[in-house]
């Protein structure tokens, strides 16, 4: 099977550098005239798939908003994943998993084994039990053409105290994560399968992203205050690897399908104006 990096590179070339999140906040359900229940969740996600599944490179369901409805919500997540795959977008499940290695193996099976009902193209993962503890995810992803996006410099203001703290060798915690992921992508062309999450809100932190060789997912755009122009400041010479990610900024245009498409087209145009063409 083709690697996730190769598939992502092609999807971005065909559809443009954009990831749209499915984050069915209670407030958004209300704004769309939907009840805050599983029926509302189902209608919301089906509408997003109809609007964006055949035009956006990557769609990122936020697992928390499905899990809060228990097993019925997870069933809708499974169905959403299938619908997105049928529509042709890559599915990045935002679950931010991390644990000791033996448990990470089970998470890897849940999301990166093609026989799982929750099988997706890629997942987000937390490195705070050590990047090495995520090895079972990296291994299963490599075996089945999947991807893993590891948190490095998150978009929330609380992240810096931990991520930008200095380790004994003088590097920041985030730089150690960046360096370990860079190693995993060595030699991969046109793009590695192991990405990093770097928020569009963090400004110029001086971190060296030049050797990552994989995709740089940039949340924090729109509702959290980041704009496409901030990508230049945050990513500098690594702009070509950036995958901008918007959730509420696009979703708040719904439930009208044409309006959702127009919102996605608008943010994609904003990003294209900043990012170098592939
Ligand atoms: O650093 C991070 C990592 C993940 N996220 C997630 O992305 C979306 C952002 O939603 P918006 O509506 O565009 O603010 C959400 O699912 C977060 O959990 C992030 O924001 N920052």
């Amino acid at each position: 099977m083709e690697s996730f990096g190769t598939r992502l590179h092609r999807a971005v070339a065909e559809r443009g550098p954009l990831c749209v999140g499915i984050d069915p906040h209670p407030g958004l359900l209300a704004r769309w005239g939907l009840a805050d229940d599983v029926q509302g969740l189902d209608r919301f996600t089906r509408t997003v798939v109809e609007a964006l599944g055949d035009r956006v490179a990557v769609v990122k369901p936020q697992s928390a908003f499905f899990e809060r409805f228990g097993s019925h919500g997870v069933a809708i997540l499974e169905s959403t994943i299938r619908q997105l795959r049928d529509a042709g977008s890559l599915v990045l499940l935002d679950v931010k998993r991390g644990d000791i290695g033996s448990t990470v193996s089970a998470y890897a099976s849940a999301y990166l084994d093609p026989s799982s009902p929750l099988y997706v193209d890629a997942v987000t993962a937390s490195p705070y039990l050590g990047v090495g503890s995520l090895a079972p995810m990296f291994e299963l992803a490599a075996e089945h053409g999947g991807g893993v996006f590891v948190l490095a410099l998150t978009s929330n203001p609380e992240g810096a105290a931990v991520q930008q703290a200095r380790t004994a060798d003088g590097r920041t915690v985030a730089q150690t994560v960046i360096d370990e992921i860079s190693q995993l992508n060595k030699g991969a062309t046109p793009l590695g399968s192991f990405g990093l999450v770097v928020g569009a809100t963090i400004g110029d932190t001086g971190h060296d992203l030049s050797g990552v060789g994989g995709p740089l997912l940039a949340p924090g755009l729109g509702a959290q205050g980041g704009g496409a122009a901030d990508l230049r400041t945050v990513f500098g010479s690594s702009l070509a690897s950036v995958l901008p990610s918007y959730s509420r900024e696009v979703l708040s245009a719904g439930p009208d399908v044409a309006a959702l498409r127009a919102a996605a087209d608008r943010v994609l145009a904003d990003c294209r104006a900043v990012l170098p063409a592939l």
Side-chain angles (χ1 to χ4, degrees):
M1 173 157 202
E2 274 185 318
S3 72
F4 174 72
T6 299
R7 295 188 296 126
L8 177 60
H9 189 264
R10 186 170 52 242
V12 166
E14 288 172 2
R15 296 184 171 199
L18 181 63
C19 168
V20 175
I22 306 185
D23 294 51
H25 289 260
L28 278 173
L29 291 170
R31 189 171 167 156
W32 284 33
L34 298 169
D36 187 15
D37 60 18
V38 283
Q39 284 75 30
L41 178 72
D42 191 41
R43 173 56 31 221
F44 186 97
T45 56
R46 284 181 187 278
T47 304
V48 177
V49 175
E50 181 190 347
L52 305 179
D54 63 355
R55 60 173 52 208
V56 171
V58 181
V59 177
K60 181 175 77 66
Q62 170 51 261
S63 185
F65 291 107
F66 296 83
E67 290 174 41
R68 79 188 186 93
F69 293 106
S71 60
H72 295 289
V74 175
I76 290 172
L77 176 59
E78 290 175 11
S79 157
T80 303
I81 291 166
R82 284 193 298 272
Q83 292 166 41
L84 287 168
R85 188 169 298 120
D86 290 348
S89 57
L90 295 177
V91 186
L92 165 57
L93 184 61
D94 199 344
V95 278
K96 299 187 184 68
R97 294 300 192 230
D99 210 311
I100 60 168
S102 51
T103 301
V104 168
S105 281
Y107 283 134
S109 302
Y111 306 117
L112 298 166
D113 182 328
S115 67
S116 167
L118 283 169
Y119 169 60
V120 285
D121 296 289
V123 286
T124 55
S126 169
Y128 293 110
L129 278 82
V131 176
S133 68
L134 299 174
M137 280 196 188
F138 301 142
E139 285 159 15
L140 210 60
E143 190 179 334
H144 295 296
V148 182
F149 287 81
V150 178
L151 302 179
L153 291 154
T154 57
S155 65
N156 57 315
E158 303 86 356
V162 176
Q163 297 152 11
Q164 299 192 43
R166 298 274 163 189
T167 63
D169 67 12
R171 291 179 298 165
T172 65
V173 171
Q175 190 65 52
T176 65
V177 174
I178 294 165
D179 293 345
E180 288 200 55
I181 297 305
S182 305
Q183 281 302 319
L184 292 178
N185 285 323
K186 276 264 173 320
T189 54
L191 187 67
S193 297
F194 304 109
L196 292 169
V197 179
V198 177
T201 47
I202 62 170
D204 179 4
T205 59
H207 285 83
D208 180 10
L209 295 163
S210 61
V212 175
L216 302 170
L217 183 75
L221 294 159
Q224 292 177 55
D230 295 318
L231 297 174
R232 278 200 196 95
T233 314
V234 175
F235 294 97
S237 60
S238 304
L239 271 179
S241 307
V242 172
L243 179 63
S245 184
Y246 293 81
S247 300
R248 286 167 287 182
E249 175 74 13
V250 171
L251 300 172
S252 58
D256 182 70
V257 165
L260 281 165
R261 288 181 179 152
D265 289 349
R266 174 177 53 78
V267 296
L268 177 58
D270 290 349
C271 293
R272 279 193 196 279
V274 171
L275 301 179
L278 271 183

